[in-house]
Structures are given as C-alpha cells and as structure tokens.
Amino acid sequence: MVVLSRPALDHFSHIKTYKPTSNFFNEIPVVDLSNPDEAKTSIIKACEEFGFFKVINHGVPMDFINKLEDEAFKFFNLPQSEKDKSGPPDPFGYGSKRIGRNGDIGWIEYILLNTNQDQKTLFTFRENPEIFRSAVEKYITAVKTMSFEILELMADGLRIEPRNVLSKMLSDEKSDSCFRLNHYPPCPELGALSGRNLIGFGEHTDPQIISVLRSNNTSGFQITIKDGAWLSVPPDQNSFFINVGDSLQVMTNGKFKSLKHRVLADPRKARLSMIFFGGPPLSEKIAPLPSLVGKDEESLYKEFTWWEYKTSAYKSRLADNRLGLFQKSHIN
C-alpha cells in the first residue's frame, strides 16, 4: 500500500467531516421492477423529487455482479507498473488521479470502456484476460437490458409514445454509452487530517441520459437534494442506483433534474463502483419532447446534438453548470 505524507495529501481536495442526515436513509425512493404498474409511477415521482432512485428485483444475475467485482479488484490490486500499461486513457483505458483533462483530481483510479466496442483488447497483458473481458461483457449486457426496461417504464409513466422513445437511444448500435469501473483505495493517512474528508470524485452531474450505479458494500456516495444539502446514501451491494443525467433533464424540459453527486474516500476500506452511462448516438438531437411541453409552457433549452453537448461538457470542470450554455435566455 502506498503511504502518502501530509504534504502529498494536500494536493487533493478535502471537506469538513460530513455528518449524514439519518432521516433520509428511509426516504430514498425504491423502485421494484417486479411490479411494472407501481414501478412506472414510482420512477416518475423519484425523478421529479430527487433525480435519483434505488432499483430492486432488477433481474441482473448476482453471479455477473460478483464475478466482475472480483476481476476488477484483481486488476486494481496489480502493481502500478502493470496497470499503467493500459493508460493513460484516450479517452478509454486505465486512468489514475486525474479526472478528465481540465485539472480535476480525485482519490481514484478507474477503467473507462466504450460499451459498443468489442473488448478483445481488454488488458491483454494480463494472464487469462478473457475472464475479465467475459465478466465485463456479461455485466454490461444485463445492465443494458435493465436500463431499457427502466426507460420504457419511464415513458409509460410520462405517457409519451412510442414507449421506446428513450430506450432506443441506448439500444441503437451507434449509442455513445460507456462503462466505468471506479476504484477508491483506502486512505489510512486520513487520520492525519483531523475533521476532514478526502474527495474521491468531486461534485458533478452526468451529461448522459441516465447513469446506472452499483458499488460494493462501502460508503462514500453522496447526493444533493433541493435545498442543496449533501446526503450520504447507505451502501447496498445488491441493488442498483439510477441517476438522472443532463440530457434527460433537457428532454423532460426540466421536469426531471439531473443529480449532483460526489464520492468521499474511506480511510479503511476500498470502494469499487460500476457505472453504466446511457448515452445517445453522437448525431442524436437533444431537445424537450413536445408532449412534455405544456400549452402555456416554453421550451427551456436550445436544441443541440449529443456530440455538441458532450464536447462542451468535457471541456468544463466537474462542478460547472454544464447546461448553462444551452439554456434559453428567458431562464433566470
């Protein structure tokens, strides 16, 4: 384990130790996919109030989840010289500490993959790389299927047709979806930072349509609610968490809000997150869906392509208001 001195840790961002609001633990919206009629109503309510919900009875085999987690930990526990053979990401591959190209830094290392590309070259320097590759592909396939179902239930709840108007953007063979494995190593040196927490991944929203998150049984994930307070989400390694992304906020004309979230490092236990980012094809036009703009309402956003927004978003810093450039002038 690498032990960093206090001066070295000072290069990373810190916040005052966070004390979670315990009442929120029982308020996290839960969507049971085994009951579609109730699920579609619960999804809409959760997206309007939080931009976030937990999914149970999701249909993703636990064997797929556990196998990928095991393989990911094996990779991240390799010597740094071995991991570096897969980086730096451009944009896909292995990365460490640097989040994007604009100066954001976190207590993190990660693997970023394009979900529509064959993973034949996935870490070929490893012994038996096909085991890792197979675990990734099985997991992504299952999570995609769940994501399509969620988006179609969402369309049902919003009463928009066709019901695949959202899911088809992710199922398209040219979908610009991606998959990320985030590893936050334990940081025992946090004891030297009395009353401070180390930022693993700084506050941000996700630019895509939805994000599907699963993590091991380690705390650290936090979200904001309407009053701006940061709330810790209790870990649940058997469920998935769904975040509304910027593109979905635009398509619902602001009825759904993209979720601002962040991750704090744990001093004792490694956190591993698996995130599927559901994105449309690069040429897809993003704009409020006509059926979701009322007669007395105005469209709040300019039309843009996913390529235009993605390019703009990735030129920004994490905490920037990425949608600001695409709002119409009448928004205060």
Side-chain angles (χ1 to χ4, degrees), residues 12-291:
F12 295 89
S13 299
H14 309 88
I15 62 169
K16 290 183 179 180
T17 298
Y18 176 79
K19 295 182 179 180
T21 303
S22 59
N23 290 339
F24 180 70
F25 290 179
N26 296 323
E27 297 176 9
I28 294 176
V30 178
V31 173
D32 185 347
L33 290 185
S34 68
N35 189 333
D37 287 338
E38 290 187 5
K40 66 183 180 182
T41 301
S42 299
I43 288 172
I44 302 307
K45 183 179 180 181
C47 290
E48 289 177 342
E49 294 184 358
F50 293 97
F52 173 79
F53 55 92
K54 180 165 75 172
V55 173
I56 61 174
N57 294 321
H58 44 72
V60 179
M62 287 304 300
D63 287 349
F64 290 4
I65 296 172
N66 294 333
K67 182 62 177 178
L68 180 53
E69 181 177 295
D70 289 344
E71 288 300 311
F73 271 123
K74 287 178 184 177
F75 172 79
F76 288 120
N77 287 331
L78 288 172
Q80 190 63 46
S81 59
E82 290 296 297
K83 292 183 288 188
D84 286 341
K85 292 178 181 179
S86 292
D90 190 28
F92 302 109
Y94 171 78
S96 179
K97 303 296 188 295
R98 296 188 180 278
I99 303 170
R101 303 174 178 176
N102 304 300
D104 293 301
I105 295 176
W107 187 253
I108 184 176
E109 56 181 344
Y110 63 89
I111 301 166
L112 182 63
L113 303 170
N114 184 319
T115 63
N116 278 352
Q117 288 183 348
D118 194 320
Q119 309 299 338
K120 288 182 179 178
T121 59
L122 181 63
F123 314 118
T124 53
F125 64 88
R126 290 190 60 206
E127 183 179 357
N128 298 322
E130 65 277 4
I131 296 176
F132 195 4
R133 181 170 61 248
S134 174
V136 168
E137 291 175 345
K138 286 180 179 179
Y139 179 88
I140 289 175
T141 298
V143 168
K144 278 184 176 181
T145 299
M146 177 185 64
S147 302
F148 303 159
E149 180 182 1
I150 289 171
L151 289 173
E152 287 170 8
L153 287 170
M154 190 180 292
D156 290 342
L158 291 169
R159 299 179 181 178
I160 54 178
E161 294 182 354
R163 74 187 303 260
N164 71 340
V165 67
L166 300 172
S167 63
K168 69 180 181 181
M169 298 183 192
L170 275 61
S171 61
D172 192 296
E173 63 180 8
K174 294 183 180 179
S175 164
D176 190 43
S177 298
C178 59
F179 177 63
R180 187 170 177 131
L181 287 161
N182 285 340
H183 179 236
Y184 304 91
C187 186
E189 298 85 355
L190 281 176
L193 303 172
S194 178
R196 309 293 286 179
N197 282 118
L198 191 62
I199 297 291
F201 207 119
E203 64 178 85
H204 64 287
T205 60
D206 296 332
Q208 291 88 354
I209 297 172
I210 63 168
S211 304
V212 182
L213 165 70
R214 186 270 173 188
S215 64
N216 65 329
N217 197 28
T218 305
S219 62
F221 184 64
Q222 297 185 337
I223 67 172
T224 57
I225 55 175
K226 292 179 180 179
D227 65 1
W230 283 102
L231 301 173
S232 288
V233 176
D236 183 343
Q237 60 186 355
N238 298 315
S239 303
F240 286 89
F241 293 96
I242 310 298
N243 300 350
V244 170
D246 294 343
S247 295
L248 187 55
Q249 176 173 322
V250 172
M251 287 187 283
T252 61
N253 205 35
K255 291 179 173 60
F256 295 174
K257 300 294 184 184
S258 57
L259 177 76
K260 184 178 289 186
H261 53 287
R262 68 186 180 191
V263 177
L264 304 184
D266 190 287
R268 296 168 296 277
K269 187 177 179 182
R271 175 181 172 85
L272 182 74
S273 300
M274 310 174 184
I275 313 102
F276 169 71
F277 298 97
L282 293 173
S283 60
E284 186 74 37
K285 293 181 179 179
I286 307 297
L289 297 171
S291 61

